[in-house]
Amino acid sequence: MTLPSEYRRIVSRVGADGTLTLSIDTQPLPEPREHEVLIRVEASPINPSDLGVLLTGADKESLRATGSADAPEVQADIPAAMLRGLGGRTDKAIGVGNEGAGEVVAAGSSEAAQGLIGKTVGAFGGEMYGEYRCLPAAQCIPLAEGTTAAEGASCFVNPLTALGMVETMRREGHTALVHTAAASNLGQMLQKICIADGIDLVNIVRRPEQAELLRGLGAKYVCDSSRDSFMKDLVDALADTGATLAFDATGGGTLTSQILTAMEGALNRNATGHSQYGSTTHKQVYVYGGLDTSETRLSRGFGMAWGIGGWLLPNFLAKIGADAMPLYARVATEIKTTFASHYTKRVSLREALDVDVMRAYGRQATGEKVLIEPNRF
């Protein structure tokens, strides 16, 4: 294969005046070093975590086309409250896209890198919304023969996050899980994992149709936060499962507080005595997303044995090191079943910067997942 000397990629730039500019720039094609591979990226999904880098909290209603058909460019306004936390990004062109898949077209001299030449791999390493990406071979998952790039494009973020939640549960001594925004693509994967592994999972959703979707997958515990009986339903589910660990995708608002309060209520149902400090069983909520960008509000009705923290996939993978390899292997084996992703729209690199398309995927609606095909300009 004859390789080009340059390649195109989507970049996000934050101006000092609070203007976000999205465009497509051109970069020299890199030459892989010893342990690296060069991937011709054929498919890359748009995940909520990608939108955090792409849109950086900009007002989606202010999105406006400022380029041309051949050189697309989009601008938007970033609220002052969001801009204060973006100082390190000012006037820097940041590549976007956490994960993707494609064919390895060149490789460094190491045995691991050379062994991937010609193979279709899933990869995780940022800047995947581009025609090519050079990454360490260790950040690639070789896909089974017959697996397409589109099928393997989402093999890292959602699958490994779901598996990472279960692994965190085991490592921290919990026996069941709570998950919010549970009807998402990731939430459906987590439900399938928990059924297969015999783990009780309490799903929290926001609409009746989301609850029905999960029950159709075999979910036993689904609590709809739009119902008047939500807190009672949640306490009942927690008392039944004994779940004391939750992963919250919303982040803002009162949901974290409600979960901790419900956990305390469930623990107190079988308490033999009373303590003004509450249950001695530790209750933990990890915030791993930001669907609600407002402040996290706590109403301290859940005793003194509790914790709230952040959870991020790259940090978790770095922490467990080589223990992540069985997780990678499971994803590769079950990529067409447990970890299958379904896309409602496929767009070219240029179409990904169409204002109407951006507003659609910016909604982050359940069941609406977009796939970018970077080599289709």
Side-chain angles (χ1 to χ4, degrees):
M1 175 186 291
T2 301
L3 299 177
S5 60
E6 298 178 325
Y7 73 100
R8 292 171 290 199
R9 63 171 187 164
I10 292 176
V11 294
S12 172
R13 185 189 298 270
V14 174
D17 63 349
T19 300
L20 170 71
T21 301
L22 306 172
S23 59
I24 296 176
D25 74 2
T26 301
Q27 295 288 313
L29 193 72
E31 183 176 341
R33 292 179 290 185
E34 181 182 4
H35 298 287
E36 293 179 335
V37 296
L38 181 66
I39 304 165
R40 183 181 185 273
V41 184
E42 298 166 28
S44 184
I46 299 176
N47 296 309
S49 55
D50 299 312
L51 293 177
V53 179
L54 185 71
L55 298 178
T56 64
D59 177 9
K60 290 185 284 292
E61 294 305 313
S62 70
L63 287 167
R64 52 196 180 270
T66 53
S68 64
D70 293 330
E73 180 182 278
V74 174
Q75 290 188 337
D77 302 323
I78 302 173
M82 297 294 298
L83 190 62
R84 285 193 291 270
L86 298 171
R89 280 200 52 181
T90 303
D91 292 327
K92 295 178 181 177
I94 304 294
V96 189
N98 283 320
E99 64 181 338
E103 181 186 353
V104 174
V105 294
S109 60
S110 73
E111 182 177 349
Q114 285 290 312
L116 294 178
I117 290 181
K119 292 185 177 180
T120 299
V121 300
F124 179 73
E127 301 184 36
M128 298 298 290
Y129 296 169
E131 294 170 315
Y132 290 85
R133 184 69 171 101
C134 191
L135 288 170
Q139 290 176 221
C140 301
I141 294 179
L143 302 175
E145 187 174 349
T147 303
T148 66
E151 290 171 329
S154 295
C155 69
F156 269 90
V157 175
N158 285 346
L160 288 175
T161 296
L163 289 171
M165 291 174 177
V166 173
E167 185 66 16
T168 298
M169 178 201 75
R170 290 173 173 145
R171 287 172 178 252
E172 296 188 0
H174 301 273
T175 58
L177 288 169
V178 181
H179 185 225
T180 74
S184 65
N185 190 266
L186 187 157
Q188 294 176 51
M189 292 181 185
L190 181 60
Q191 181 59 68
K192 294 174 185 177
I193 293 168
C194 288
I195 290 174
D197 293 6
I199 298 167
D200 283 332
L201 174 64
V202 178
N203 298 279
I204 296 177
V205 298
R206 293 172 286 184
R207 295 196 299 274
E209 59 267 29
Q210 294 173 334
E212 289 307 307
L213 185 156
L214 287 168
R215 290 192 180 100
L217 294 177
K220 182 177 180 181
Y221 302 100
V222 186
C223 301
D224 182 352
S225 62
S226 69
R227 292 172 57 91
D228 292 339
S229 61
F230 171 62
M231 283 301 290
K232 178 184 181 301
D233 297 340
L234 183 56
V235 173
D236 289 345
L238 294 172
D240 198 10
T241 62
T244 50
L245 175 65
F247 288 88
D248 180 22
T250 60
T254 62
L255 187 54
T256 288
S257 186
Q258 289 177 297
I259 293 170
L260 289 170
T261 300
M263 286 179 175
E264 182 71 6
L267 289 166
N268 286 334
R269 278 192 177 179
N270 298 316
T272 56
H274 172 73
S275 168
Q276 63 179 323
Y277 302 112
S279 168
T280 59
T281 300
H282 184 75
K283 306 169 292 293
Q284 179 71 38
V285 177
Y286 285 117
V287 175
Y288 78 98
L291 295 176
D292 183 341
T293 57
S294 67
E295 63 184 6
T296 302
R297 302 191 297 276
L298 301 179
S299 299
R300 294 281 301 279
F302 35 79
M304 296 299 292
W306 58 275
I308 298 173
W311 194 98
L312 188 67
L313 177 61
N315 295 355
F316 172 75
L317 294 177
K319 180 179 179 180
I320 67 173
D323 288 346
M325 297 312 294
L327 307 185
Y328 294 167
R330 182 170 181 178
V331 173
T333 300
E334 301 177 33
I335 195 64
K336 295 188 180 185
T337 53
T338 306
F339 304 113
S341 290
H342 305 285
Y343 304 99
T344 54
K345 191 175 185 66
R346 300 187 183 201
V347 299
S348 68
L349 206 61
R350 179 166 45 192
E351 290 167 338
L353 295 187
D354 178 276
V355 169
D356 291 334
V357 173
M358 294 184 70
R359 286 186 176 140
Y361 64 65
R363 289 196 302 266
Q364 303 181 54
T366 298
E368 295 183 13
K369 196 169 180 65
V370 176
L371 185 73
I372 297 177
E373 298 174 331
N375 270 276
R376 187 166 64 83
F377 186 70

